[in-house]
Amino acid sequence: MEMIKGKVVVVTGGGGLIGQSFVEAIVKNGGIAIAADLNLEAIEKIKNLYSNKKNKVDAVVMDITKKDSVINAINYIHERYGKIDALVNNAYPRNKNYGKHFFEVEYEDFCENVGLNLGGYFVTSQQFAEYFRDGKEGNIINISSIYGVMTPRFEIYNGTKMTMPVEYAAIKSGLIHLTKYMAQYFKADKIRVNAISPGGILDNQPQSFLNEYKKYCAVKGMLDPSDIVGALIFLLSDQSKYINGQNIIVDDGFSL
């Protein structure tokens, strides 16, 4: 069933772990996926993976923190495809010091990481919304997190070098409210804005952490990227055309 047939969808961070699953799902459901990424290697990988589907997958260099870069990407996509139907804010920019424990985080790093991620989502949404206003409608989907809606369960990190970064909590919770803000602000422009908040995604975490995490879930525990594409396709499709300003949690019950 091609739920988003013919829709041109831009996925920031399209060359990453989750982004690649989004690109694949968009194509499978009849859409045209544009992977926007700053990583040239990731972009080339996307192009090679889908070399037999040149009219279904494209990739463009885009820095979500740079206004000119976003505008250039929009112009390229519009010139090539004649329209853009949706933006998926999925990129995850951060500096080399990201991921430290609370008392190890420096003020400069906190500000930089919040600015890169939350600020980048703002700049990208701003410029795409400007484009969507000219086209009379649009669709923005922000990828947040369960840790944007709940406090961290720090105990599941015991015995590992991992933690739940304080910047992440600030970014993802801020992103959910930014989603609601933009949904309200863009109402008259027929641009709807929603968020998806996934639970933890499998990415070579220690087994001890996976075991502790699963204790709070219903069935699976940590999810595969493919487990959240159903929510994405739904929000991209006309089946959700009256859903606006909402946050869909996909976490196997972890946040309950």
Side-chain angles (χ1 to χ4, degrees), residues 210-251:
L210 298 178
N211 293 342
E212 291 302 311
Y213 184 97
K214 188 175 181 179
K215 290 178 181 178
Y216 293 95
C217 298
V219 180
K220 185 172 183 177
M222 294 283 282
L223 304 176
D224 294 302
S226 59
D227 293 325
I228 60 176
V229 300
L232 176 76
I233 298 302
F234 171 66
L235 288 177
L236 288 173
S237 76
D238 291 339
Q239 297 293 316
S240 62
K241 62 184 177 181
Y242 300 120
I243 295 178
N244 197 15
Q246 303 305 308
N247 178 42
I248 298 178
I249 297 173
V250 185
D251 69 347

Side-chain angles (χ1 to χ4, degrees), residues 65-216:
T65 69
K66 301 290 190 299
K67 182 177 177 180
D68 287 345
S69 179
V70 177
I71 292 172
N72 289 338
I74 290 172
N75 290 339
Y76 164 80
I77 298 163
H78 179 77
E79 288 172 10
R80 185 156 186 180
Y81 298 95
K83 66 170 185 171
I84 303 172
D85 294 292
L87 164 69
V88 181
N89 276 316
N90 168 69
Y92 187 23
R94 53 209 183 274
N95 72 16
K96 64 180 181 180
N97 293 322
Y98 177 84
K100 292 186 176 182
H101 289 258
F102 185 88
F103 290 110
E104 298 172 347
V105 177
E106 298 292 343
Y107 171 77
E108 293 78 10
D109 288 321
F110 181 91
C111 292
E112 183 177 8
N113 283 313
V114 172
L116 285 170
N117 204 309
L118 187 58
Y121 277 39
F122 159 72
V123 171
T124 305
S125 296
Q126 181 191 57
Q127 296 310 306
F128 272 83
E130 193 73 53
Y131 172 87
F132 290 147
R133 287 204 303 178
D134 292 338
K136 308 304 181 187
E137 65 178 349
N139 188 358
I140 298 174
I141 300 169
N142 295 316
I143 305 305
S144 183
S145 166
I146 49 170
Y147 281 146
V149 297
M150 65 176 288
T151 55
R153 289 194 164 111
F154 290 111
E155 65 273 16
I156 66 176
Y157 301 101
N158 289 341
T160 76
K161 295 180 180 180
M162 301 167 59
T163 188
M164 214 296 290
V166 62
E167 303 100 313
Y168 189 85
I171 291 162
K172 295 304 187 181
S173 58
L175 182 56
I176 291 172
H177 200 74
L178 181 62
T179 297
K180 296 177 180 179
Y181 177 101
M182 292 192 296
Q184 179 77 314
Y185 196 88
F186 299 147
K187 268 184 181 179
D189 298 309
K190 297 183 180 179
I191 301 170
R192 59 193 184 97
V193 189
N194 292 290
I196 299 172
S197 287
I201 303 297
L202 280 166
D203 190 20
N204 299 309
Q205 293 92 345
Q207 188 60 49
S208 60
F209 167 78
L210 298 178
N211 293 342
E212 291 302 311
Y213 184 97
K214 188 175 181 179
K215 290 178 181 178
Y216 293 95

